[in-house]
Amino acid sequence: MRIPFIPNTVILLLALLSLEYLYVLRTGYISPSYSPLPAISLDERNGWFVDWRLAALAGDRELCQTVLVPPHAVASAVPDQAYDAQGCGWANAVSLQSAGGATIGLSPVTCQAAAAYSLWMIEVVQPEAERLLGSRVTAVSDFGTYSCRNIIGGFYQKYRKLIERVSKDIVRSQHATANAIDISGFTLASGERIVVARDWKGGGPKAAFLRAVHEGACRYFRVVLGPEANREHHDHLHMDRGFLRACR
């Protein structure tokens, strides 16, 4: 049987449409009803394509309300704040009171970042705390989520003026859209505290725990920066769900 000839323009068009589909799927701009991937769940290990399935929460408030539920997470919806001229604001955000059995106060934080954090707590933080420290985490300390500012430190700080000539949006931090979380420490059921600024260095179990949860966060967040990334992150773990990729 002879295979019919397909013009190169048709092949190119199909390739471009496929790339565009993958792009909107990764960014969460597509309705979950048009996605071939199952919805993310906090009840079970989610296997493949966790990143893209988390992205589906970006614009779907109803889906968000079915994911961030007890006993795995306690959250309530936060009204949208329209993006201003500086590119600051948020959409489909929540106030997260606890996740994975540990309290925290994150508000506002985007639904996809809250879900990523919850999975991290359930699948990484609590198991590593029990394995390395012999106790579960009961509370997590943070430096906040939303802040209308640019990226701090690293390449962007060094070449900020040059980059801003191209586009000021490029240097906007994910904190400016409530899509980032800064974690500063953990409190165990035993009452012991693990603090990033104090315990990251060294070879003891606390340092091992911090390094393990830092590495584990890279499965759920697209950018994870710790004390070894740059001096601006010496005292916390920065985790965000932006478009870039980095695990340092």
Side-chain angles (χ1 to χ4, degrees):
M1 180 178 179
R2 186 177 180 180
I3 300 174
F5 173 74
I6 302 176
N8 290 338
T9 52
V10 174
I11 296 175
L12 179 61
L13 179 61
L14 291 174
L16 290 174
L17 288 174
S18 298
L19 289 173
E20 183 177 2
Y21 176 76
L22 291 174
Y23 171 79
V24 296
L25 188 65
R26 185 179 186 273
T27 53
Y29 292 150
I30 192 172
S31 169
S33 60
Y34 294 102
S35 171
L37 304 175
I40 203 77
S41 172
L42 302 184
D43 288 316
E44 56 190 22
R45 294 194 69 87
N46 287 274
W48 292 40
F49 300 107
V50 170
D51 176 56
W52 291 12
R53 292 162 66 191
L54 283 167
L57 296 170
D60 195 318
R61 190 174 289 277
E62 289 187 9
L63 180 60
C64 179
Q65 292 174 348
T66 66
V67 173
L68 296 175
V69 294
H72 305 297
V74 177
S76 55
V78 172
D80 292 349
Q81 178 168 303
Y83 298 105
D84 59 24
Q86 300 180 74
C88 298
W90 63 78
N92 193 21
V94 300
S95 175
L96 186 66
Q97 290 88 49
S98 71
T103 60
I104 194 170
L106 298 176
S107 183
V109 59
T110 62
C111 180
Q112 63 168 316
Y117 171 84
S118 300
L119 284 175
W120 175 62
M121 286 296 302
I122 295 166
E123 299 181 357
V124 177
V125 174
Q126 295 293 18
E128 292 295 344
E130 291 184 305
R131 181 177 72 89
L132 293 168
L133 304 171
S135 180
R136 287 180 65 82
V137 172
T138 57
V140 180
S141 305
D142 68 277
F143 287 159
T145 56
Y146 177 75
S147 177
C148 184
R149 61 172 173 81
N150 289 341
I151 295 172
I152 298 174
F155 174 86
Y156 288 92
Q157 188 76 10
K158 186 176 181 180
Y159 299 102
R160 180 178 60 83
K161 292 183 178 180
L162 179 62
I163 295 172
E164 284 183 347
R165 291 179 184 176
V166 179
S167 172
K168 290 185 178 181
D169 293 338
I170 298 177
V171 296
R172 265 290 179 243
S173 169
Q174 288 298 310
H175 284 289
T177 55
N179 203 30
I181 302 169
D182 288 343
I183 299 300
S184 58
F186 305 84
T187 301
L188 303 179
S190 62
E192 193 171 15
R193 292 199 68 225
I194 296 91
V195 180
V196 175
R198 181 189 65 201
D199 300 319
W200 177 269
K201 295 181 179 180
K206 291 184 179 180
F209 167 75
L210 289 174
R211 292 173 184 274
V213 299
H214 169 275
E215 181 179 354
C218 300
R219 172 172 165 79
Y220 312 98
F221 293 91
R222 291 173 177 169
V223 172
V224 179
L225 303 175
E228 294 181 8
N230 51 52
R231 62 184 181 184
E232 286 79 11
H233 294 86
H234 73 281
D235 58 356
H236 67 278
L237 306 180
H238 167 94
M239 309 183 297
D240 76 53
R241 290 280 309 161
F243 190 76
L244 301 177
R245 273 285 187 186
C247 183
R248 295 180 292 157

